[in-house]
Amino acid sequence: MSSDLRFETASEEETRSLGRKLADILPECGTVLLRGALGAGKTTLAQGIIEGRGLARADDIASPTFTLIHEYGDPVRVYHVDLYRLDTAEQVRHIGLEDILDRHALVLVEWGERFLEVLPEAYVEIRLTVINSDQRLIEVLGLANR
Ligand code: ADP
Ligand code: MG
């Protein structure tokens, strides 16, 4: 997968702001893998995307680390999923991820690369790389595959 877009941010707020812009570029529905180390900014970027779609304020968008799946919109237009605490594809299926992926919504998934067998073949990948304590490289891949 080649990188379609490439950004650098220098703060948490810049990453959130980039997420608000990406909200306009990302497809209306489909799977988006948010890929990067712990603390890279995956949840922060998701906050911006959800905010950019007009579904919630960043302050009201918590990490789904413990709850696994958060929903935004009525009807739901964005799901925010965090698979960090799951170990097997069977557990991922058990929380109903496949069903969610079939719905007409954007599904943002943290740690989804650990369970590629459960994900659809076509997805957008947003890769976050820590440059230093404040700077992040953020690359969007696979937009053209859609
Ligand atoms: P993840 O979901 O990838 O584990 P979070 O978004 O929860 O990461 O946390 C990112 C952490 O990194 C926050 O503590 C944030 O303040 C810090 N941070 C520093 N610089 C940036 C940046 N440029 N973008 C996003 N987060 C940043
Ligand atoms: Mg997170």
Side-chain angles (χ1 to χ4, degrees):
M1 238 194 271
S2 66
S3 162
D4 297 322
L5 298 167
R6 214 165 178 274
F7 305 92
E8 266 187 50
T9 64
S11 69
E12 183 177 340
E13 186 40 49
E14 270 188 41
T15 294
R16 210 171 274 128
S17 168
L18 173 64
R20 289 193 289 265
K21 285 180 207 143
L22 290 178
D24 294 334
I25 296 169
L26 292 170
E28 195 55 33
C29 44
T31 305
V32 177
L33 283 196
L34 298 171
R35 186 168 190 163
L38 206 63
K42 301 180 294 297
T43 297
T44 304
L45 191 71
Q47 287 174 331
I49 294 169
I50 294 160
E51 201 170 40
R53 291 263 158 120
L55 300 172
R57 299 287 308 273
D59 286 350
D60 296 322
I61 303 167
S63 171
T65 306
F66 295 98
T67 39
L68 308 181
I69 301 170
H70 288 170
E71 313 177 338
Y72 298 91
D74 183 16
V76 180
R77 287 172 52 210
V78 176
Y79 291 90
H80 182 194
V81 183
D82 187 338
L83 303 177
Y84 183 73
R85 296 176 65 82
L86 300 187
D87 296 314
T88 66
E90 196 187 349
Q91 290 173 333
V92 175
R93 291 196 176 97
H94 189 73
I95 65 167
L97 186 67
E98 287 163 311
D99 181 38
I100 284 170
L101 293 169
D102 282 343
R103 293 186 199 161
H104 194 79
L106 188 70
V107 186
L108 307 173
V109 189
E110 300 187 36
W111 301 104
E113 69 278 9
R114 297 168 58 227
F115 306 102
L116 284 179
E117 66 269 45
V118 186
L119 297 178
E121 268 176 43
Y123 54 82
V124 174
E125 179 170 318
I126 303 182
R127 206 174 277 171
L128 297 95
T129 308
V130 176
I131 298 171
N132 60 38
S133 61
D134 295 324
Q135 285 181 292
R136 305 290 188 267
L137 169 65
I138 299 175
E139 297 168 288
V140 184
L141 303 88
L143 272 180
N145 298 353
R146 311 200 30 96

